[in-house]
Amino acid sequence: MRYILCVIGKVYLVGAGPGDPGLLTLRARECLERADVVLHDRLIPREALDFAPAQAERIDRGRRGAAGALTQEDIHRLMVARARDGKTVVRLKGGDPFVFGRGGEEAEALAAAGVPFEIVPGVTSAVAAPAFAGIPLTHRDLASAVTIVSGHDAEDGPRVPWAHLALPDTTLVLLMSLHALGENLRKLVEAGVDPLTPAAVIASGATTRQQVVVGTVADLAARVRDAGITPPALTIVGRVVSLRATLAWAERRPLHGRRVMVTRAAAQAGALAKLLRDRGAEAVLLPALETGPPESFAALDAALHALATYDWVLFTSANGVRAFFERLAHKGLDARALAGSRIGAVGPATAEALARERLRVDAPAASYRAEGLFEALRPLGVAGKRFLLPRAEKAREVLEDALRAAGATVDVVTAYRTSPAAPDGAAAARLREGTIDVVAFASASAVESFAAMGLAPGRARVAAIGPLTREACERAGLEVAIEPARATIPALVDAIETYFATP
Ligand code: SAH
């Protein structure tokens, strides 16, 4: 007897939350990390997609297919086909997959095809948006039930039971309700809801673009029209809406409503973007640089095998640390290869990258530039010593020049290369439209790439992390409005905050 072995993959129907990458679940992240295929809706945060392996196939439901977008049937077919190819498929959906996202139908299609699946719940916008708007869904004194309703009648499905929604002490959350808002609210009044009941529309809830319009059932539609609200948005009706007057918190964050363009390489943008978001700003990513391996590893490899001959290894960037240790591991070596050398670092981010390798810095730079590191090394005796500088292909030569002038032997090896990235069209368009408040630069090379892409800040103010970056801005004709006293990412965010706090 012969058996045909058929390895079938699995589909994870995963909720991605309402849009803030921080509201993705740990389980969602695990699924993304092992995905071969990510089939996602629009409005999924880019950071979520970044958890998938670089080589995973990414399919944007809004951009693929003959008519531009994939139909519901296309999605069913694709999921089944990829799973039958043995792939791990993540079907990533906004909010929760089983709250008005047609996740039920997708699971039915998988069940019918005999494809194994798992449902990973997400934070639904019906819960997240009110939380970010400071509107509790229930409250001891004001509401003892919540109803989540579609504001949009399906063509061939059950009708929305409008006549039965006027329940006492109940909060109503209407999804897909912006388009027919006036009509929806009128139906509620016809059903017996008091027109003076507080009501609100929350657009892009739980994201840094959140907009909230508060009114009553009678006047909310007109207010929303005047405010020019755009989707996604939901409507919340009930006495709990009155609590927003006291509980609104998202708008009180210091950088609320500010849009800051982050020009760091994609791999490094995360920390800056996160600090900005924590303070309420929208971080618009436009990576100006890409880091990659050097054209040849020959010089770095030779240095790695001769590490015992160096008195000092000096790191000038976190990227350099990462590239150095990746290559060291690749060569079958580990930190013991550095046992005989002392270690220097320019700046706290570089020292932190070393700390992640469990290495302490012997000569921390007094200031965050090469000159500072030289000043720290000089009293320790430089003449006659051997120094290794693993770093970017193009870099300032101040440190090596100063060391050589002081009698040291210096080997500079290329550990990585930065090159200008292809500009992100959507982010660049936002600059042209004038909807960016600040363009933040964390390195001179990011400024140079930004200018080389033909981009200009327009009405946005320019923030530079430190003097070298400021000088690069000046050379590119960009006037720097914001510069922290210390050249660190947290200090840069503080400086942006101070700038906007000062009237
Ligand atoms: N499964 C999703 C809902 C999909 S239906 C969830 O659980 O959130 C799409 C509707 O969700 C939109 O019409 C809008 O009413 C609502 N929505 C999605 N994201 C939103 C957000 N960030 N803020 C407010 N409403 C949102």
Side-chain angles (χ1 to χ4, degrees), residues 85-178:
D85 282 345
K87 299 281 191 332
T88 298
V89 181
V90 168
R91 167 75 179 108
L92 194 60
K93 303 169 70 67
D96 179 89
F98 276 6
V99 178
F100 294 127
R102 303 189 75 168
E105 288 161 62
E106 293 176 14
E108 281 178 308
L110 296 168
V115 169
F117 63 87
E118 215 175 274
I119 311 297
V120 180
V123 180
T124 175
S125 60
V127 168
F132 272 64
I135 302 174
L137 290 176
T138 65
H139 187 279
R140 251 179 88 83
D141 303 326
L142 304 172
S144 55
V146 189
T147 310
I148 301 177
V149 187
S150 166
H152 174 85
D153 270 311
E155 275 145 33
D156 46 3
R159 309 261 105 191
V160 178
W162 293 105
H164 304 282
L165 294 178
L167 300 164
D169 302 321
T170 295
T171 303
L172 290 176
V173 181
L174 281 70
L175 270 59
M176 299 174 278
S177 54
L178 191 57

Side-chain angles (χ1 to χ4, degrees), residues 125-127 129-131 133-138 143 146-147 170-175 177 181 185 188 197-203 212-217 220 233-242 244:
S125 60
V127 168
I135 302 174
L137 290 176
T138 65
V146 189
T147 310
T170 295
T171 303
L172 290 176
V173 181
L174 281 70
L175 270 59
S177 54
L181 182 60
L185 294 172
L188 290 179
T197 309
V201 159
I202 309 169
V212 183
V213 179
V214 179
T216 62
V217 169
L220 185 64
L234 58 74
T235 309
I236 176 164
V237 177
R239 286 194 290 151
V240 288
V241 172
S242 61
R244 174 171 160 80

Side-chain angles (χ1 to χ4, degrees), residues 76-435:
H76 297 174
R77 259 196 308 273
L78 253 171
M79 290 191 301
V80 170
R82 292 295 192 275
R84 288 197 173 141
D85 282 345
K87 299 281 191 332
T88 298
V89 181
V90 168
R91 167 75 179 108
L92 194 60
K93 303 169 70 67
D96 179 89
F98 276 6
V99 178
F100 294 127
R102 303 189 75 168
E105 288 161 62
E106 293 176 14
E108 281 178 308
L110 296 168
V115 169
F117 63 87
E118 215 175 274
I119 311 297
V120 180
V123 180
T124 175
S125 60
V127 168
F132 272 64
I135 302 174
L137 290 176
T138 65
H139 187 279
R140 251 179 88 83
D141 303 326
L142 304 172
S144 55
V146 189
T147 310
I148 301 177
V149 187
S150 166
H152 174 85
D153 270 311
E155 275 145 33
D156 46 3
R159 309 261 105 191
V160 178
W162 293 105
H164 304 282
L165 294 178
L167 300 164
D169 302 321
T170 295
T171 303
L172 290 176
V173 181
L174 281 70
L175 270 59
M176 299 174 278
S177 54
L178 191 57
H179 185 61
L181 182 60
E183 205 183 314
N184 289 343
L185 294 172
R186 210 166 33 246
K187 285 179 186 157
L188 290 179
V189 173
E190 280 165 20
V193 171
D194 180 349
L196 294 181
T197 309
V201 159
I202 309 169
S204 297
T207 75
T208 48
R209 297 180 304 282
Q210 170 169 299
Q211 268 182 293
V212 183
V213 179
V214 179
T216 62
V217 169
D219 68 10
L220 185 64
R223 285 174 188 263
V224 165
R225 211 175 314 120
D226 293 345
I229 294 295
T230 54
L234 58 74
T235 309
I236 176 164
V237 177
R239 286 194 290 151
V240 288
V241 172
S242 61
L243 291 168
R244 174 171 160 80
T246 337
L247 301 184
W249 59 271
E251 293 80 358
R252 299 198 184 125
R253 291 175 295 174
L255 288 174
H256 172 77
R258 306 291 180 187
R259 286 149 301 194
V260 181
M261 180 166 275
V262 173
T263 59
R264 309 200 83 192
Q268 291 175 300
L272 176 54
K274 200 160 182 294
L275 286 177
L276 288 166
R277 262 187 229 117
D278 280 348
R279 300 186 199 192
E282 180 189 355
V284 180
L285 306 187
L286 187 142
L289 293 172
E290 276 168 3
T291 54
E295 259 158 39
S296 158
F297 276 112
L300 178 60
D301 288 352
L304 292 177
H305 285 294
L307 276 177
T309 69
Y310 292 102
D311 299 293
W312 284 91
V313 182
L314 305 183
F315 294 95
T316 52
S317 72
N319 271 327
V321 174
R322 210 172 304 122
F324 180 91
F325 284 95
E326 264 174 29
R327 193 65 189 171
L328 193 71
H330 181 81
K331 292 271 122 191
L333 297 167
D334 61 26
R336 286 171 296 177
L338 283 161
S341 313
R342 290 202 276 173
I343 294 173
V346 173
T350 312
E352 261 168 44
L354 285 162
R356 281 195 288 276
E357 304 292 339
R358 298 260 181 263
L359 291 172
R360 278 190 320 128
V361 172
D362 298 298
S367 79
Y368 303 136
R369 44 196 297 180
E371 290 82 344
L373 180 53
F374 179 70
E375 289 312 319
L377 290 167
R378 201 174 24 196
L380 304 172
V382 166
K385 294 280 175 12
R386 282 173 55 77
F387 288 81
L388 176 65
L389 275 68
R391 57 171 207 195
E393 190 172 54
K394 280 173 278 173
R396 293 174 75 226
E397 287 163 9
V398 178
L399 184 57
E400 67 215 59
D401 291 349
L403 288 168
R404 285 197 186 112
T409 306
V410 184
D411 288 342
V412 178
V413 297
T414 302
Y416 67 100
R417 205 157 40 105
T418 60
S419 47
D424 175 318
R430 295 194 56 183
L431 265 183
R432 282 194 301 276
E433 288 157 10
T435 59

